Amino acid sequence: MQSFTLQRPSGLAEAARLGAEGGEFIAGGTDMLQLMKEWVRTPDRLVDLDPVLDPRIEAGPQGLRIGAGARMEAVAVHPEVARIAPAISEALLESASPQVRNLATMGGNLLQRTRCGYFRDAGVAACNKRRPGSGCAAIGGENRIHAVLGTSGQCIATHPSDFAVALVALEATLHLAGPDGERDMPIHHLYRTWDTHPEQETNLRPGEIIAAIQVPATALSRNARYLKVRDRAAFEWALLSAAVGLEIDGGTVRAARVAMGGVGTKPWRMRAVEAALIGKPANDDSYAAAAAHATEGAVARGENAYKITLMPRVLARALALAGGAA
Amino acid sequence: MNTQDSHTAPAPGVTLLVNGTRHHLAIGPEVTLLDALRERLNLTGAKKGCDLGQCGACTVILDGKRVNSCLVLAARAQDRPITTIEGLAADGRLHPLQQAFITHDAFQCGYCTPGQIMSGVALIEEGRGHDEAEIRKHMSGNLCRCGAYANIIAAIREAAART
């Protein structure tokens, strides 16, 4: 690991200023330290966010407010989170290991980098995310874990967060603190898709920090569920996942929110699936018919073609789970 | 940037509170807690397996929570209570989970064992030690390449039942 200076700001505003001046942020450190040990990232200045991030988890009539400094494990086992948004509890409990969850923060979880093996191997020359303009070794390479939606000839990496997929389905809002003040951002604006600049992953401005996450409490959030499909039963990244919330009245689907993970370059909202569910009877036939829309626009790159086969199956199962809870 | 700010001055070192004893170490910010324990304090119970948070051999308890010490900068563990495998036995008596690992032959080569035991101690504290499926899931952060999992689970169940 390259040596660096650890800067300790006294508050969020100062942290944002240090970030805007070129310091790299570290919060829980679970992803940043992996990347630094592998020489994927070599910051000479780290700005320690841990003392200035809010770790509180609060539940009120409007929903949940999760401080960005809250640890994954604390959120995962919080009874109010499980009551208001069980999809969040499920997504977090199926993420990482207890040891990692005790360190990793919620803000850092949203900003963790892709698990693409070419991105994480500094010895690989071609990676447009790591070295803009150098190419993409995953296209034509080992790409079993890679994306089928939102890709380009530049990059086919997925975003690895389970939590982010649940937040997209629940239409969460991020509170941001930046060098020029605070602002709110809908979660679906956080991540970019890329045609030309895969190294630009988010719409955060220089120095901007995720300070808190607001999750609205609705009938739909209380029924939403998270389903994860992976290579081993625990401590493994999603190959595919789905966060699904349904509002069912008199046996008919009135509202639906559907997002998938592991299939897109960012957590992928499935609006065509949602539209196909509205007004339909809440049964397995409707779920299967709607889930077929999930693959619209999907492009396989070789080893990841199985994801297109699995997408409607995983989604139909997740819809049945959420339908059973609704 | 303004390098004259007092908080950006190089840290003079780190004070670690390990197994009830305070140690001051003259180390830079790039030293992990695992390296500080092993290389500076000669507490070599915590093992360096993958050094990437994937194997759990470096597990220690920090502020009452189990963590991968390879993913913690020592500077950020300043003054926070740390328990390592060396601090588990009290008054010459093994911790119940240490004894249960012996009783159940829960290790072969032993390399992962300190991490397994620290993780298991925390898991029992978390109230997750009674059901086999739950133990399997919440011990997933500790790999054993010898494959002693069946006996590790038996040891944790026994120790959990006695606490």
Side-chain angles (χ1 to χ4, degrees), chain B residues 42-126:
Chain B
N42 295 319
L43 293 170
T44 55
K47 296 291 186 281
K48 186 180 279 192
C50 67
D51 207 24
L52 292 170
Q54 295 166 4
C55 75
C58 68
T59 301
V60 301
I61 295 177
L62 172 64
D63 280 337
K65 314 266 189 208
R66 47 176 162 160
V67 301
N68 305 102
S69 61
C70 74
L71 293 184
V72 177
L73 294 175
R76 287 162 35 117
Q78 169 97 15
D79 295 325
R80 299 160 66 189
I82 298 157
T83 306
T84 70
I85 189 78
E86 291 90 345
L88 220 47
D91 303 324
R93 293 178 62 85
L94 293 178
H95 183 280
L97 187 58
Q98 290 177 303
Q99 185 58 53
F101 263 61
I102 295 170
T103 305
H104 289 273
D105 193 17
F107 48 86
Q108 289 181 37
C109 82
Y111 194 83
C112 74
T113 308
Q116 298 277 3
I117 291 176
M118 296 313 292
S119 193
V121 166
L123 174 142
I124 292 168
E125 285 283 313
E126 293 159 11

Side-chain angles (χ1 to χ4, degrees), chain A residues 1 4 7-8 14 21 27-28 33-34 37 45 48 73 77 94 97-103 234-235, chain B residues 1 5 7 29-30 51-54 59 66-68 70-72 75-76 119 128 137-138 140-142:
Chain A
M1 185 155 58
F4 54 85
Q7 298 181 308
R8 293 189 150 124
E14 187 187 358
E21 288 170 359
L33 288 181
Q34 286 184 61
K37 289 178 186 202
R45 272 178 290 154
D48 189 356
E73 179 73 9
V77 302
E94 300 303 330
S97 69
Q99 291 97 315
V100 171
R101 293 199 299 266
N102 279 329
L103 291 170
F235 198 11
Chain B
M1 65 173 268
D5 291 1
H7 55 268
E30 70 282 358
D51 207 24
L52 292 170
Q54 295 166 4
T59 301
R66 47 176 162 160
V67 301
N68 305 102
C70 74
L71 293 184
V72 177
R76 287 162 35 117
S119 193
R128 289 163 161 166
K137 178 169 180 177
H138 294 289
S140 60
N142 293 82

Side-chain angles (χ1 to χ4, degrees), chain A residues 112 118 164-165 168 268 315 321:
Chain A
Q112 65 183 303
Y118 299 108
V165 179
V168 166
W268 212 263
L315 202 44
L321 264 180

